[in-house]
Amino acid sequence: MLTAARLGAAALSAALLAGAAAAPALADSPSTGATAPVPEGLYGKGDPTYDGVWRQSLALTALTGAKVTPADSAVSWLTGQQCADGGWPSYRADTAAACDPKTEDSNATAVAVQALVALGGHQDGVDKGVQWLKANQNADGSWAYNPGSPGDANSTGLAVNALLAAKLDPAGVAKADRSAFDGLALFQLGCAAPADQRGAFAYQPDPAGALAPNALATAQASLAAAGGKLPVTNTNRTDAAPKALPCANGSTEPLVPRADSAEAAGAYLTAQLAAGGQHLTLTLPGAAPTPDYTATAWAALGLVQGAHPQQATGAVDWLAKEGGTWTKGGTDASATATLLLVAQAAQRDPAAFGGDLVAQLTALGPAPKATAPASAAASAPVEKKKDDGVSQWWTIGIGLLIGVGGGLVLSLQRKRGLKR
């Protein structure tokens, strides 16, 4: 069973919408029944059984981006979870015992690879992780959560992120002449779909082969479609909104061309965010719709990577205001780390993003070896926004002093940009 803490990794909400029956445990909090003890060096206080590697990888990636040098025990915990064949399971309780290959998963492996790249100095682990991903790519170019199963958009997107982090071209990573980008394209809705669904990603096709838009699948896959990885550091931007999928002359082509994939996903996400009050929504069978914090965060990351930080502004604002509910006041390691990654991508001050995210995340793990000066985060360039919520640089005007002591100074607001 997969927990809500692995929403980003295992696409739990998408899986449930696709028909999975198991109900998840709560996020980074102890699940009911027996729980595994929290090992030394691990971030978060909850049962690590289903999300240990996931939350550790996000935490290390986010803290490294905040110029925090993690404790050796935190890094060695993650490297110690890697199996001899290069893959990672969600959690490996007994590292002295050989791994069961059936427990290794592409999501844990993909984020662990990205964390080791961000940390630096772990090339052997990165290379072995990449080789595991290559070995377990499906014949259609996609990746499944566990090897041997049909692929899904979330797992394929995360694998693409890891390949990019390792400086590999996903177009050249292929099985049976089907590349990683070909695999990702299998899940994106093209011109055959209704106009308001084009560009979205499905988690998986239904039994009849039809694709239905899924918020989390689209959000996570959008980062890969835009050629991104964690942490997002893209500083490119365009003032234009993402371009909707061009379906000229009544085209009903089901596949989205690679060149149009990121823009089409960005256009879909922008429309969904606008319609939902600048957040995406989680809808599970038999439950009332609720805000989907994970999907909203990944949507913001994907839009920034796609050079559309302006379209991500509303979602970033919403996360800064409402994210404390998601992070449980900074006590959920996975959510706090993801929120920190968004703040960094948006070039916001993480010390004032609904709380001090660096301090909150640091408190959930072993004492770091070193931290950045308190002023470091605040010195990052930030993007300003107008009262209508549209980000842009305001013109700073200083009126000439006229007469005795008269003058005018226009106030300068902080500017928010997003990263790659």
Side-chain angles (χ1 to χ4, degrees):
M1 186 178 77
L2 305 173
T3 69
R6 293 295 301 281
L7 269 174
L12 177 62
S13 66
L16 288 172
L17 288 171
L26 293 176
D28 185 25
S29 58
S31 58
T32 57
T35 61
V38 178
E40 180 183 357
L42 178 64
Y43 287 90
K45 309 305 180 185
D47 183 352
T49 300
Y50 303 108
D51 79 328
V53 169
W54 177 261
R55 76 192 196 214
Q56 190 79 351
S57 299
L58 292 182
L60 291 173
T61 303
L63 288 175
T64 300
K67 309 303 181 185
V68 173
T69 304
D72 290 339
S73 61
V75 178
S76 61
W77 186 90
L78 180 62
T79 58
Q81 290 285 299
Q82 189 173 25
C83 300
D85 64 0
W88 272 265
S90 297
Y91 173 61
R92 184 180 175 191
D94 183 4
T95 56
C99 291
D100 179 353
K102 294 190 297 295
T103 67
E104 297 171 55
D105 72 75
S106 64
N107 292 206
T109 300
V111 291
V113 165
Q114 292 172 82
L116 294 186
V117 171
L119 287 164
H122 299 276
Q123 194 59 48
D124 184 60
V126 170
D127 290 343
K128 289 181 178 178
V130 168
Q131 288 305 315
W132 186 91
L133 288 170
K134 288 182 175 181
N136 289 284
Q137 185 179 17
N138 287 340
D140 61 7
S142 70
W143 276 266
Y145 178 75
N146 290 120
S149 300
D152 64 79
N154 306 65
S155 298
T156 303
L158 288 166
V160 169
N161 299 151
L163 295 174
L164 290 164
K167 296 182 170 52
L168 295 178
D169 182 359
V173 177
K175 277 286 183 70
D177 294 326
R178 302 290 295 176
S179 77
F181 282 136
D182 291 333
L184 192 64
L186 296 173
F187 308 102
Q188 191 169 22
L189 282 74
C191 292
D196 62 350
Q197 297 182 9
R198 294 169 185 165
F201 282 83
Y203 171 62
Q204 287 177 325
D206 68 16
L211 300 176
N214 180 273
L216 181 56
T218 306
Q220 286 198 312
S222 70
L223 179 59
K229 59 179 179 56
L230 298 176
V232 173
T233 56
N234 189 26
T235 57
N236 295 328
R237 61 176 297 137
T238 175
D239 292 332
K243 297 178 182 178
L245 184 65
C247 296
N249 302 320
S251 171
T252 57
E253 172 60 43
L255 291 178
V256 177
R258 168 74 190 130
D260 298 323
S261 180
E263 286 289 290
Y268 176 82
L269 288 171
T270 299
Q272 292 297 304
L273 288 169
Q278 295 305 321
H279 67 80
L280 300 178
T281 300
L282 175 63
T283 304
L284 298 178
T290 58
D292 193 331
Y293 298 94
T294 305
T296 303
W298 282 84
L301 294 174
L303 285 167
V304 175
Q305 177 61 40
H308 296 290
Q310 184 170 322
Q311 281 66 39
T313 294
V316 175
D317 286 343
W318 184 85
L319 287 165
K321 180 180 179 182
E322 305 293 341
T325 300
W326 182 29
T327 67
K328 300 179 177 63
T331 62
D332 183 307
S334 177
T336 304
T338 307
L339 205 60
L340 178 54
L341 288 167
V342 171
Q344 293 167 348
Q347 297 183 352
R348 298 286 191 93
D349 183 357
F353 201 78
D356 189 336
L357 297 176
V358 176
Q360 290 173 350
L361 186 55
T362 301
L364 295 176
K369 294 173 68 175
T371 59
S375 60
S379 66
V382 287
E383 179 185 298
K384 241 182 351 190
K385 44 174 204 142
K386 293 168 39 175
D387 289 344
D388 63 1
V390 178
S391 301
Q392 64 180 27
W393 289 108
W394 284 18
T395 303
I396 304 172
I398 302 178
L400 297 175
L401 294 176
I402 302 176
V404 180
L408 171 67
V409 178
L410 296 180
S411 63
L412 174 65
Q413 296 184 338
R414 303 282 285 170
K415 180 186 180 190
R416 290 186 296 139
L418 292 165
K419 68 178 195 175
R420 168 182 179 169

